Amino acid sequence: MYVGRDMTELTMKPKSEWEDSELAFFHHSLQQVVPYLNEEGVTIHREIVEEIERRGGLNRGEADYTHGTKVFYD
């Protein structure tokens, strides 16, 4: 279950200030409903994807004994 800021709060902040987990969660959520998004939804999803790409993806740089290399939002 996602525990974090909701879309209402996040829309007030630039995507560069979003946490990786927030980007991952909302990217996954919007990806599931792409066929139903209006123009504004498509724009928000595109901006999220662009921010993920700007950061070099959502993989952690290295794993340790408590974390893998994949970012989880649960």
Side-chain angles (χ1 to χ4, degrees):
M1 181 173 163
Y2 172 73
V3 178
R5 299 180 287 184
D6 65 4
M7 185 60 86
T8 304
E9 182 178 351
L10 289 171
T11 55
M12 304 297 177
K13 303 218 176 264
K15 305 294 183 285
S16 60
E17 293 182 15
W18 289 27
E19 301 292 328
D20 286 349
S21 61
E22 293 165 339
L23 290 169
F25 175 77
F26 286 107
H27 170 57
H28 179 76
S29 297
L30 291 171
Q31 190 175 29
Q32 301 300 309
V33 295
V34 163
Y36 309 105
L37 292 176
N38 62 13
E39 188 174 335
E40 184 178 1
V42 169
T43 299
I44 291 169
H45 188 230
R46 180 181 41 78
E47 290 171 352
I48 289 171
V49 170
E50 288 173 354
E51 180 61 24
I52 291 169
E53 290 174 348
R54 188 187 70 73
R55 295 183 186 192
L58 290 176
N59 292 325
R60 291 171 44 104
E62 59 185 59
D64 59 28
Y65 67 93
T66 61
H67 297 92
T69 57
K70 185 177 179 185
V71 173
F72 287 97
Y73 48 84
D74 285 344

